[in-house]
Structure formats: C-alpha cells, structure tokens
Amino acid sequence: MTVQSGRLVGRRIALGITGSIAAYKAVELLRLFQTEGADVRVLMTPSATAFIGPLTLETLSRHPVDVDVLALQADGRIGHISAANDVEAIVVAPATAHWLGSMAHGVAGDSITAACLATSVPVVVAPAMDGGMYAHPATQANVARLLEFGYRIVEPELGPLASGMVGRGRLAALPRIVDATVEALSGVAPAQAAAPALTSGPTRVDFAGRHVVVTAGGTIEPIDPVRFIGNRSTGKMGIAIAEEALDRGAAVTLILGNVNVDPPAGVHVARVETAAEMQAALRALTPPEGPAFDVLVMAAAVADFRPKAASDHKIGRGSGMKLELDATPDLLAEAVERVRAGIRASGAPRPILVGFAAETGSTDRAAEKLRAKGVDMLVANDVTEPGSGFGTDTNRVTIFYTDGAPEQLPMLSKREVAELLLDRILIRLDSRETDPGAAAEEAPTATTEATT
Ligand SMILES: Cc1cc2nc3c(=O)[nH]c(=O)nc-3n(C[C@H](O)[C@H](O)[C@H](O)COP(=O)(O)O)c2cc1C
C-alpha cells in the first residue's frame, strides 16, 4: 500500500461546500487535504451543486457525497449524523452569507448545518462572498456568533471578486484553510481505529478509498419510436459487483443500461440506453488527463449491431421490413485505449481493467480475447449452460488473467462470483501500488473486437 506523509495523515475530515462562485476551488482544497494525508468526505448544500457537480467530488473523495439532508446512506444511517460522529473536523469552504446565517441561528436545513449542530469536533469556516455582503452588519453578527461557538473563521481576503469589483470577500488562499484545519486538530488526538468507516458499516472495507466503475445491463438500439434491438442481459451480474464493491467500502459508479433489477442505494448511477450513450458515459470517466477510477469492470452486454438509421415514426406492418445494421463501436477497446493515453499523459497508476465475455458452447476464445482487448482479467461464461448467464441468480465463470493461468470457478451465486472477482482485483491493485514499475506499465495493445 502507498505510504503517506503529511500533517493530516489518518485524519478524517468533512468538507462542507455551499453555493458560492468559489465552490470550484473546493476541488483543489480537497486535493490539498488529501496531499496532507486526510480522508475527506464531502457535504454540499443543494445550491452548491449548481456550481460544481457532486460526481467530481464523489470521484476525487472516493466517498458518496451528502447533498440531501433527508436522504439515508446505503447502510441506513443518517448522513449528517454519521458525518458528525465519524469525522474529526468539519471545514466549511466556501461558506455563503446564507449558510453563515443558518448556522448562527441553528437552522438545520442542509446537511452541513445539521452535521455542525450534531458534532463536537472542531469546525473551520472560510466565508466567500461579495465585499458588501461580507461587510453587512447581519453577516458580521453571524460571524461573531460562530466565533462564540468556538468555530475558527478563516477571514476572506481583499481582491477581485466575481462581480468584477474589488473588495474583502474573496475566499482565503487555500493553504490558509489547510493550516487552520491542521491547527484546529493539533491538540486533538487522532480518533481510535475502531471508529466506524466513513461510508457505511461493512465488516470488510478493503476497497475503502478506491473508485470502482461498473457497466451493467444491456443496451437497446432503436428501430423506431416503439421498437428496438436488445439482448437478454438483466444486469444482475454487474449490479452484484457494484453491491459487493460498495459493501467493501468503495465509491462506486454504475453505468447502467437496460436492467430488470434496481441498483443499490449509495451507488452513483449513470443511466444509459444505447451503446452510444454508454460510450459517452465511459468517455467522461476516461478524460485525456487520466482515468478517474481505480477499477473498471465492463459487465454490460453492449449491442454489437444497431440500425443504420432509426425511423422517427412507427414503421407500419406493410409488406415487411428490411433492417440494415451497422456494427457498434467496441467500447471496451476504446476505454482501454483512452486509459492508456490518460496514464501516459499523467503518469497516474494504471487502473485494473476487467472485461466480461458471454460465450456460447465453450469459453475457448476467451484467452485470445484477453490478449486482444488489453484488459488485466477477462471473465468468461457459457450463457447456454443452465444456471449460467442471463437472468439467472447463479453463474459459472472462468477468469482469464494476463499474469496467471485461467481459473475455473464452480457454479456460484452472482454475489459470490462478485466477491471472488473483487478479491482477485484487490490483489492486483495492491501489487500495482507496491511495485511502481507495474504502475507505470502499459496495457497491451487492444483491438476493436467486441467482447459482449
Ligand atoms: C453566480 C452566483 C454566485 C454566487 N456567489 C455567492 C458567493 O460567493 N457567496 C454568497 O454568499 N452567495 C453567493 N451567491 C448566492 C447564493 O448562491 C445563495 O444565497 C444561495 O441561497 C446560497 O445557498 P446555500 O448557502 O444553501 O449554499 C451566488 C449566487 C449566484 C447566482
């Protein structure tokens, strides 16, 4: 595992972000806290989400983001109460005039105020607003009240503001906010290891701090407004993997096609219908500056063909229909290529890439697919075997590895397959981190052959 150094190693911090134009700076602040070794979870007011997307913060913090004060966590706990109990400091940056007013008067209408009311840990507040707003006696009275609570205020700075004017209201330089947090925690002993995990209360949290992306379900390709080409995938296998990763402490993003089962609460879900939409969702997670995840499991059944052109009106029965089909892009191959380009550009560690191959009759072609696709692991199953494949609760899979002999698992529940698969992924993630050579290594060249 990576050895961390910094002034906040092992510290658990909640970062509260409110609806200020300076909210974008919170991303950099989160990074600075992480560089100091802190484990950060994010709370946002609903207004803050107009300025910056929770997905960005969820991805970078590797924890679900708490936006809705009325929503429960995946484990049934109340988000703001678990934040209040689990963290060692709360940092509100940027803090709006509105939020200062709510906090000063104990009005718990958002997760950050509610967590601050429920906690006894140090609270650091960095206001940011227009100069006139900050100077107003109402705001000043609210700041004074927060000081009475024992909160540390990191005063805003004089400088150009979003309005184009110059005034005192600019969010403090980020290192000042980090320094204030370090100072606030300096007299406080680190909480005991027995404290509950930030995201939930699973018994095994070996994926804490990891971001796992899973594709699941089938894609559907429209013929006309009422008909489509689809496949028999129900999404059960991919969803079982997402559930298992979530229960083991990972931040999970599920790119979800056509499915028959509900995704687990607590997972970030990106709903898609077509192969093109799934491609767009994957592209968003594999930007040129490097992939935004540690593990990618492509368990979705992506259509191999789509109608050349979908009709915008219902096609009548008439004298029959001739469908002309185009091949869809190979999403796995493209994702692997984009990951390779991203890690070349950023030098970031290479994520573990896992493909699925639904075969009929035998899984003999899977070893060749593993090489062709450039993935680390390929999970193959014979979908014609009873109890294995689409719609069933069980699966018999063979896992092919680039670094070892294939492993044939017995018939298991899909959740058990997910558990064993994540065990094997974890071994490779850990060795990637202890062996810097492996981290820099590139995936073999991928071809454009379709997997599923
Ligand atoms: C573009 C824009 C920028 C804003 N920036 C700030 C700001 O920097 N500080 C502030 O106090 N309010 C700012 N506001 C107003 C807040 O968004 C508004 O008061 C909101 O209700 C705050 O909600 P919250 O405190 O629950 O996050 C801004 C509004 C807009 C439209």
Side-chain angles (χ1 to χ4, degrees), residues 77-153:
R77 294 198 296 163
I78 301 168
H80 58 272
I81 302 294
S82 81
N85 293 336
D86 295 351
V87 301
E88 298 169 86
I90 299 179
V91 179
V92 188
T96 56
H98 173 255
W99 186 84
L100 294 173
S102 300
M103 193 63 238
H105 295 91
V107 180
D110 65 83
S111 297
I112 310 171
T113 325
C116 288
L117 287 175
T119 197
S120 55
V121 301
V123 177
V124 176
V125 178
M129 65 200 72
D130 164 74
M133 286 171 81
Y134 193 63
H136 194 282
T139 308
Q140 287 302 310
N142 290 332
V143 170
R145 186 81 182 117
L146 264 49
L147 285 168
E148 282 170 23
F149 298 161
Y151 292 5
R152 276 162 205 265
I153 305 292

Side-chain angles (χ1 to χ4, degrees), residues 17-33:
I17 306 172
T18 69
S20 156
I21 191 74
Y24 74 94
K25 296 182 181 173
V27 174
E28 189 53 32
L29 182 59
L30 168 68
R31 289 301 217 185
L32 287 180
F33 279 133

Side-chain angles (χ1 to χ4, degrees), residues 308-377:
K308 216 174 183 55
S311 167
D312 57 6
H313 60 274
K314 184 180 172 187
I315 302 170
R317 185 191 302 257
S319 56
M321 181 196 292
K322 246 194 194 142
L323 262 186
E324 228 184 311
L325 302 177
D326 277 338
T328 54
D330 183 343
L331 302 195
L332 180 59
E334 180 179 291
V336 171
E337 270 308 311
R338 289 176 67 88
V339 166
R340 293 178 70 215
I343 59 174
R344 260 199 312 270
S346 64
R350 189 162 67 81
I352 305 301
L353 306 171
V354 183
F356 266 70
E359 303 289 348
T360 50
S362 91
T363 54
D364 291 349
R365 284 176 351 123
E368 175 44 35
K369 273 192 176 177
L370 170 80
R371 269 188 299 279
K373 298 291 178 185
V375 289
D376 300 282
M377 296 161 62

Side-chain angles (χ1 to χ4, degrees), residues 238-259:
I239 286 177
I241 295 166
E243 258 165 7
E244 176 71 18
L246 183 73
D247 284 356
R248 288 166 68 166
V252 181
T253 300
L254 188 56
I255 302 177
L256 198 56
N258 193 29
V259 289

Side-chain angles (χ1 to χ4, degrees), residues 214-237:
V214 183
T215 69
T219 61
I220 60 176
E221 307 297 331
I223 297 170
D224 67 18
V226 294
R227 305 184 184 91
F228 59 81
I229 297 176
N231 58 57
R232 293 181 186 278
S233 170
T234 56
K236 282 185 176 178
M237 188 65 244

